[in-house]
Amino acid sequence: MVSGKRPIWFFVGLLLLLYGVVILSVGLWEIPFPPAHPPVLSQLHAPIWWGGLLGVLGAIFVARNRRRLE
Amino acid sequence: MVSLLPLRAPTAPSLTAVLIGAQAKEHLIHLSAVDGFIIASYFAFVVFIGFYVKDRSKTSSDFFLAGREMSAWIAGLSFMSANLGSLELMGWAGSAYQYGLLAAHAYWIGAIPAMLFLGIVMMPFYYISKTHSVPGYLHLRFGSAARGFSAVTFALMTTLMSGINMYSMALVMKVVLGWDINVSIWLSSLVVAGYVALGGLRSAIFNEILQFVLIWAGALLVPILGMIEVGGWGNLRRNIEVNLGRSDYMHLWSNLGTFSDNPMGVHWTGIVLGWGFVLSFGYFTTDFLVIQRALSAHSLRAAKMAPIIGAAFKMMVPAIVIIPGLLALSVLPFHLLPESVAVATGGHSYNEVLPLMLVRYCGPGLIGLGVTALIAGFMAGMAGNVSAFSTVWTYDIYRAYFKPRASDSHYVSMGRWSTVVGVLISVGTAYLVQRSTSIMDYALQLFSFFIAPLFGTVLLGMLWKRATNAGGFWGLLAGTITSIGLWLWVYRVPSALRYVALSPDAKGMAENMYRALWAWIVCVVVTIVVSLLTKPRPTAELAGLVYGASRLPAAEPAPWYESPMLWAGVIFVVFIAINIVLW
């Protein structure tokens, strides 16, 4: 796409990885310290599995697109 | 760009009323520090991408067409993302609450056939004519009069739509988060102006990819958790029937036999001909905002695949927009209200259904991601309009009529400045639409005024060799005047709606569909008649512009599973199956 630059998928992965780590951390924090007003279905711990999924996807995107384009 | 045909035209709220209502009650979401970090990270990323690609936007081809080096996936996702604007996410979720499953027509018959038609039939002519824009194609096919007319109307439409996007975003931020409306307008404007002016179309496209991923990451959790809560589609259907005491909310077609048997007040002919054909085909095949994304593709096959890939994802958008609206009908312990009633009573309006569902299922962190998804949608729509405006202004107005022989770098510079000016005009428009009684009605009127007749002109231009320059121009003009005239007629004499929309039971939604249909018919008839009365252009002049006068270049060698026709066929079969299952 742009020679000498990293593909856009690298930055997509970076942002997903960042968001995944942050949301997963919040989910883990909420196990010992649950929020005062938990959302519906909070027992499913959505931040943990959704944050984890985003983080894994982000890591895959970053790893696969880390090289600059020729 | 706004998605085609936001539905609540007949009952769309006064924006001022919405604003007053928003001020009257407490905002819906309180952000935590984590949410703030997620939103701030997004803004930082989009500006960074503008700087990152800036040094590759030095020529006009780079700036206005992203160097024509995008892959089919990037062009396709960008095509889709530019179409996923502010009215899309919030508006259609509210429409699903109000009209039920009928709102999903916006994503299926109101989009899929047109997107596939663009990819297979029309894109080759846009691509091989090497034009920079749709008005540019009209110039080659019908001469400068048709080009000038469509360029001016397109520039008007894009700045207005960009302003509507901007104001919608600011309004949502006000209602949902309690942010000051002026801060939202200026912050979003500066960010969009910054990254589009820096990197041109390439920057806009790259950010649209980012926005596409974020929209899904932030919004998909709501239907997943909602479906878990209600226990699946069957339970959702039963709950809605019990809660509403009627069964016509969960069908796509079986309740469209008469105007009065469905919540939308529309007949199936209006859905199929007005919406599925004229408005949908008109928007997806002639609105340069989306076509510009496909034109950035690196090859003809990639350009053909772009709208087809976009169609595949478009078909899935109801999962994050329509289903939350339907889930709200099932699980919310209170009823949402029309905007005017909500303002008067302090209740929640249809417009708030998506943030309400977000709050229901998401805590800190996920709320920030969901709000980022909404912001991303708004900015994608705004940037799409602004980058398209910049191109049409520079090529089809400035270069055509003011400075035809300047250097390439001069036009790039003009592109950057017109981006900034386009954003400033949009800001002005954003403040103007606050006075409008109905923002969605206003948007729909624009589509029927300018897009519906343009579709007739472009369609005949591509498919009929006999169409002449005079025919193209006068047809376009007559169609536009017809549409505006019909609108004025109903505006002055409301009872005229029964003639325009063919039934006394018709509602405003049907008016928009039928007005578009009449405008298209008049455009086509006038184009044909005038063309037959005027001297045809030699066939040799039409090479690369019209079917039957062009030899399309052979497709690049590729395995069978990369065939655009194959994937268009697969998507069309899935589209038919969905309509049958949800009949």
Side-chain angles (χ1 to χ4, degrees), chain B residues 485-500 511:
Chain B
L486 289 175
W487 176 80
L488 279 172
W489 187 25
V490 176
Y491 182 75
R492 296 266 182 188
V493 187
S495 60
L497 178 60
R498 67 170 57 201
Y499 304 110
V500 174
E511 180 198 351

mmCIF file of all heavy atoms in Angstrom, chain B residues 485-500 511:
data_model
loop_
_atom_site.group_PDB
_atom_site.id
_atom_site.type_symbol
_atom_site.label_atom_id
_atom_site.label_comp_id
_atom_site.label_asym_id
_atom_site.label_seq_id
_atom_site.Cartn_x
_atom_site.Cartn_y
_atom_site.Cartn_z
ATOM 1 N N GLY B 485 -40.134 20.132 -6.974
ATOM 2 C CA GLY B 485 -41.509 20.584 -7.181
ATOM 3 C C GLY B 485 -42.512 19.737 -6.406
ATOM 4 O O GLY B 485 -43.442 20.269 -5.777
ATOM 5 N N LEU B 486 -42.318 18.409 -6.414
ATOM 6 C CA LEU B 486 -43.237 17.537 -5.673
ATOM 7 C C LEU B 486 -43.144 17.808 -4.175
ATOM 8 O O LEU B 486 -44.153 17.807 -3.459
ATOM 9 C CB LEU B 486 -42.904 16.064 -5.969
ATOM 10 C CG LEU B 486 -43.259 15.569 -7.372
ATOM 11 C CD1 LEU B 486 -42.767 14.135 -7.573
ATOM 12 C CD2 LEU B 486 -44.766 15.637 -7.608
ATOM 13 N N TRP B 487 -41.916 18.020 -3.715
ATOM 14 C CA TRP B 487 -41.746 18.315 -2.294
ATOM 15 C C TRP B 487 -42.475 19.604 -1.931
ATOM 16 O O TRP B 487 -43.183 19.666 -0.927
ATOM 17 C CB TRP B 487 -40.258 18.437 -1.965
ATOM 18 C CG TRP B 487 -40.021 18.834 -0.543
ATOM 19 C CD1 TRP B 487 -40.059 18.020 0.561
ATOM 20 C CD2 TRP B 487 -39.756 20.154 -0.050
ATOM 21 N NE1 TRP B 487 -39.834 18.754 1.699
ATOM 22 C CE2 TRP B 487 -39.641 20.068 1.360
ATOM 23 C CE3 TRP B 487 -39.607 21.395 -0.664
ATOM 24 C CZ2 TRP B 487 -39.374 21.175 2.158
ATOM 25 C CZ3 TRP B 487 -39.345 22.506 0.139
ATOM 26 C CH2 TRP B 487 -39.227 22.382 1.527
ATOM 27 N N LEU B 488 -42.319 20.630 -2.775
ATOM 28 C CA LEU B 488 -42.985 21.905 -2.514
ATOM 29 C C LEU B 488 -44.507 21.748 -2.522
ATOM 30 O O LEU B 488 -45.221 22.345 -1.710
ATOM 31 C CB LEU B 488 -42.567 22.936 -3.568
ATOM 32 C CG LEU B 488 -41.225 23.627 -3.336
ATOM 33 C CD1 LEU B 488 -40.860 24.469 -4.558
ATOM 34 C CD2 LEU B 488 -41.276 24.495 -2.081
ATOM 35 N N TRP B 489 -44.985 20.928 -3.449
ATOM 36 C CA TRP B 489 -46.431 20.704 -3.568
ATOM 37 C C TRP B 489 -46.989 20.129 -2.261
ATOM 38 O O TRP B 489 -47.960 20.641 -1.705
ATOM 39 C CB TRP B 489 -46.690 19.753 -4.744
ATOM 40 C CG TRP B 489 -48.145 19.565 -5.073
ATOM 41 C CD1 TRP B 489 -49.161 20.444 -4.817
ATOM 42 C CD2 TRP B 489 -48.726 18.434 -5.717
ATOM 43 N NE1 TRP B 489 -50.352 19.931 -5.271
ATOM 44 C CE2 TRP B 489 -50.112 18.696 -5.833
ATOM 45 C CE3 TRP B 489 -48.216 17.243 -6.220
ATOM 46 C CZ2 TRP B 489 -50.985 17.788 -6.414
ATOM 47 C CZ3 TRP B 489 -49.094 16.340 -6.816
ATOM 48 C CH2 TRP B 489 -50.458 16.610 -6.916
ATOM 49 N N VAL B 490 -46.345 19.076 -1.756
ATOM 50 C CA VAL B 490 -46.833 18.454 -0.520
ATOM 51 C C VAL B 490 -46.607 19.389 0.676
ATOM 52 O O VAL B 490 -47.413 19.434 1.606
ATOM 53 C CB VAL B 490 -46.150 17.092 -0.291
ATOM 54 C CG1 VAL B 490 -46.577 16.479 1.035
ATOM 55 C CG2 VAL B 490 -46.470 16.134 -1.437
ATOM 56 N N TYR B 491 -45.530 20.153 0.619
ATOM 57 C CA TYR B 491 -45.247 21.095 1.706
ATOM 58 C C TYR B 491 -46.351 22.149 1.797
ATOM 59 O O TYR B 491 -46.814 22.497 2.878
ATOM 60 C CB TYR B 491 -43.891 21.757 1.442
ATOM 61 C CG TYR B 491 -43.444 22.726 2.507
ATOM 62 C CD1 TYR B 491 -42.955 22.272 3.738
ATOM 63 C CD2 TYR B 491 -43.509 24.099 2.281
ATOM 64 C CE1 TYR B 491 -42.542 23.168 4.709
ATOM 65 C CE2 TYR B 491 -43.095 25.000 3.252
ATOM 66 C CZ TYR B 491 -42.614 24.524 4.465
ATOM 67 O OH TYR B 491 -42.206 25.418 5.423
ATOM 68 N N ARG B 492 -46.779 22.623 0.621
ATOM 69 C CA ARG B 492 -47.820 23.659 0.592
ATOM 70 C C ARG B 492 -49.206 23.066 0.785
ATOM 71 O O ARG B 492 -50.062 23.667 1.424
ATOM 72 C CB ARG B 492 -47.790 24.389 -0.757
ATOM 73 C CG ARG B 492 -46.506 25.150 -1.007
ATOM 74 C CD ARG B 492 -46.667 26.574 -0.579
ATOM 75 N NE ARG B 492 -45.485 27.374 -0.825
ATOM 76 C CZ ARG B 492 -45.337 28.608 -0.389
ATOM 77 N NH1 ARG B 492 -46.305 29.181 0.300
ATOM 78 N NH2 ARG B 492 -44.246 29.286 -0.633
ATOM 79 N N VAL B 493 -49.425 21.899 0.181
ATOM 80 C CA VAL B 493 -50.754 21.267 0.232
ATOM 81 C C VAL B 493 -50.569 19.842 0.754
ATOM 82 O O VAL B 493 -50.413 18.900 -0.027
ATOM 83 C CB VAL B 493 -51.406 21.213 -1.176
ATOM 84 C CG1 VAL B 493 -52.839 20.717 -1.076
ATOM 85 C CG2 VAL B 493 -51.324 22.553 -1.862
ATOM 86 N N PRO B 494 -50.596 19.633 2.073
ATOM 87 C CA PRO B 494 -50.300 18.306 2.625
ATOM 88 C C PRO B 494 -51.167 17.185 2.048
ATOM 89 O O PRO B 494 -50.721 16.043 1.936
ATOM 90 C CB PRO B 494 -50.546 18.490 4.123
ATOM 91 C CG PRO B 494 -50.277 19.944 4.364
ATOM 92 C CD PRO B 494 -50.742 20.649 3.116
ATOM 93 N N SER B 495 -52.394 17.511 1.655
ATOM 94 C CA SER B 495 -53.265 16.451 1.127
ATOM 95 C C SER B 495 -52.764 15.924 -0.216
ATOM 96 O O SER B 495 -53.202 14.874 -0.678
ATOM 97 C CB SER B 495 -54.694 16.974 0.968
ATOM 98 O OG SER B 495 -54.705 18.064 0.065
ATOM 99 N N ALA B 496 -51.829 16.635 -0.833
ATOM 100 C CA ALA B 496 -51.274 16.158 -2.109
ATOM 101 C C ALA B 496 -50.453 14.885 -1.931
ATOM 102 O O ALA B 496 -50.128 14.212 -2.914
ATOM 103 C CB ALA B 496 -50.412 17.246 -2.737
ATOM 104 N N LEU B 497 -50.156 14.547 -0.685
ATOM 105 C CA LEU B 497 -49.380 13.326 -0.425
ATOM 106 C C LEU B 497 -50.061 12.109 -1.032
ATOM 107 O O LEU B 497 -49.405 11.184 -1.513
ATOM 108 C CB LEU B 497 -49.205 13.148 1.092
ATOM 109 C CG LEU B 497 -48.462 11.898 1.551
ATOM 110 C CD1 LEU B 497 -47.055 11.871 0.988
ATOM 111 C CD2 LEU B 497 -48.415 11.846 3.077
ATOM 112 N N ARG B 498 -51.403 12.115 -1.033
ATOM 113 C CA ARG B 498 -52.125 10.959 -1.577
ATOM 114 C C ARG B 498 -51.841 10.758 -3.066
ATOM 115 O O ARG B 498 -51.933 9.645 -3.565
ATOM 116 C CB ARG B 498 -53.628 11.112 -1.362
ATOM 117 C CG ARG B 498 -54.265 12.250 -2.149
ATOM 118 C CD ARG B 498 -55.775 12.182 -2.069
ATOM 119 N NE ARG B 498 -56.241 12.221 -0.680
ATOM 120 C CZ ARG B 498 -57.438 11.776 -0.316
ATOM 121 N NH1 ARG B 498 -58.259 11.230 -1.204
ATOM 122 N NH2 ARG B 498 -57.833 11.869 0.939
ATOM 123 N N TYR B 499 -51.504 11.831 -3.764
ATOM 124 C CA TYR B 499 -51.191 11.696 -5.194
ATOM 125 C C TYR B 499 -49.726 11.327 -5.407
ATOM 126 O O TYR B 499 -49.394 10.499 -6.243
ATOM 127 C CB TYR B 499 -51.512 12.999 -5.929
ATOM 128 C CG TYR B 499 -52.945 13.433 -5.748
ATOM 129 C CD1 TYR B 499 -53.272 14.555 -4.994
ATOM 130 C CD2 TYR B 499 -53.993 12.692 -6.313
ATOM 131 C CE1 TYR B 499 -54.578 14.937 -4.799
ATOM 132 C CE2 TYR B 499 -55.309 13.063 -6.125
ATOM 133 C CZ TYR B 499 -55.601 14.191 -5.367
ATOM 134 O OH TYR B 499 -56.910 14.557 -5.166
ATOM 135 N N VAL B 500 -48.859 11.963 -4.628
ATOM 136 C CA VAL B 500 -47.431 11.679 -4.786
ATOM 137 C C VAL B 500 -47.123 10.245 -4.371
ATOM 138 O O VAL B 500 -46.390 9.523 -5.046
ATOM 139 C CB VAL B 500 -46.587 12.671 -3.952
ATOM 140 C CG1 VAL B 500 -45.109 12.294 -3.993
ATOM 141 C CG2 VAL B 500 -46.780 14.083 -4.469
ATOM 142 N N GLU B 511 -43.680 9.029 1.046
ATOM 143 C CA GLU B 511 -43.540 10.206 0.189
ATOM 144 C C GLU B 511 -42.123 10.300 -0.365
ATOM 145 O O GLU B 511 -41.909 10.546 -1.557
ATOM 146 C CB GLU B 511 -43.868 11.488 0.968
ATOM 147 C CG GLU B 511 -43.726 12.733 0.106
ATOM 148 C CD GLU B 511 -43.622 14.006 0.929
ATOM 149 O OE1 GLU B 511 -43.828 13.952 2.153
ATOM 150 O OE2 GLU B 511 -43.312 15.043 0.337
#
